[in-house]
Every structure is written in structure tokens, then in C-alpha cells.
Amino acid sequence: MAEEISKVYQPGDVESHWYERWQQVGCFRADEGSERPAYSIVIPPPNVTGVLHLGHVLNNTIQDVLARRARMNGQEVLWLPGTDHAGIATQAVVERTLRKDGVHRRDLGREKFLEKVREWKDEHGGIIIKQLKRLGCSCDWSRERYTQDDDYVQEVLRVFVDLYNKGLI
């Protein structure tokens, strides 16, 4: 007997299966050695402390349409995802957590406090990324960045010093 087809679309039964499959086979990964014309979009990084709101959804939908259209036109597409450290907001959240344990950030010192911030980010900061994936965004997730990644911070400092030395800032 043939399997009965639902009369209405059931996104939960379909979308997560196909999105996971697309990721497994690398549909969204950009090939650095490609001969095809390059096309890239960098997500204006949403705060690691937040959740998607309608503005994010609209912005990311437009970016996804542009990325998919460029792929269809034969371009090598890098849609680069990431999150921002949201310095003040993240600091407030981590400090509040520490206070519950009777600890002040100054008791820890800068390096230990930054370690606590990174721990918090690793444990709680992926909400927006999970939401973007659930929306079906076609980002190259293998290149996800966080504004406090060591390599990223070092490159920002290098560029800042270079611009300063050139008298541009």
C-alpha cells in the first residue's frame, strides 16, 4: 500500500531533514580554490546575548535570497556567519551570574573574567545561530566567527595599528 501524502505542508517533517542533508554534503560551503567569480556577504553580527527579532529575519532573508541567486548564477558564494560579543550586555549577564555565587569580576582579574565570558558564550550564546539555521539560512557554517575569536582580535589590532601608522586614524 502506498504511503499517504499529507493534504497540507508539514514543515517540521520536511525542512529540518533537507537542511541537515544540505549541510552534510556541503551545499553552502565556499571553495577557496574555485575558478568561479567570487561573491560574499558578511552577516552584520547579531549580539551573542540576543534572539532573532523581525528585523534580523528580514535582513537575513534578503541576504539568503542574494546568496542563493548568486549560486544559481554560477558564482562561488561565501555567506559568512558570526556573532558579536555585545560587550556591555554580555558583561552584565556574566557579572550577574558571578554575583549569585558571591564573586565580583574584579576578584577574578581580566583574563579569568574573559574566560568566564567565553564559557558563558559557549554555553548560552548560540541561540541566534540555531535560529538562523532553523530558518534555513545558507551560510558557510564551517567559517562561523565570533568577534572575540583570538585570530579575529589580532587581525583587528593589526589593521588598526597599520591605519594609525599611516595617519588615517
Side-chain angles (χ1 to χ4, degrees), residues 32-48:
E32 290 180 40
S34 176
E35 297 290 322
R36 298 185 300 179
Y39 183 90
S40 64
I41 299 175
V42 177
I43 289 179
N47 290 344
V48 74

Side-chain angles (χ1 to χ4, degrees), residues 37 39 64-77:
Y39 183 90
D64 199 27
V65 167
L66 293 170
R68 289 172 188 260
R69 181 179 183 277
R71 284 188 193 100
M72 291 171 63
N73 286 331
Q75 293 175 285
E76 190 62 43
V77 175

Side-chain angles (χ1 to χ4, degrees), residues 125-137:
I127 294 170
I128 283 183
I129 296 300
K130 288 175 187 165
Q131 290 175 320
L132 290 171
K133 288 179 179 180
R134 183 66 182 99
L135 284 172
C137 291

Side-chain angles (χ1 to χ4, degrees), residues 18 27 36 38 52 55 61-63 77-79 81 83 89 109-110 116 119 126 128 134 139 147 156 158 164:
W18 283 109
C27 287
R36 298 185 300 179
L52 289 180
T61 299
I62 292 168
Q63 290 177 52
V77 175
L78 170 59
W79 186 16
T83 50
R110 178 177 168 76
K116 291 289 185 188
E119 287 171 12
I128 283 183
R134 183 66 182 99
C139 298
T147 55
V156 168
R158 187 193 67 73
Y164 177 82

Side-chain angles (χ1 to χ4, degrees), residues 15 34 49 63 83 97 100 110 119 121 125 142 144 149-151 162:
E15 292 174 2
S34 176
T49 57
Q63 290 177 52
T83 50
T97 304
K100 289 178 185 174
R110 178 177 168 76
E119 287 171 12
K121 179 261 179 195
S142 69
E144 181 182 338
D149 286 343
D150 291 336
D151 291 346
D162 184 50

Side-chain angles (χ1 to χ4, degrees), residues 81-99:
T83 50
D84 181 49
H85 64 285
I88 295 170
T90 303
Q91 178 177 334
V93 170
V94 173
E95 283 186 14
R96 193 174 326 122
T97 304
L98 289 171
R99 277 195 302 271

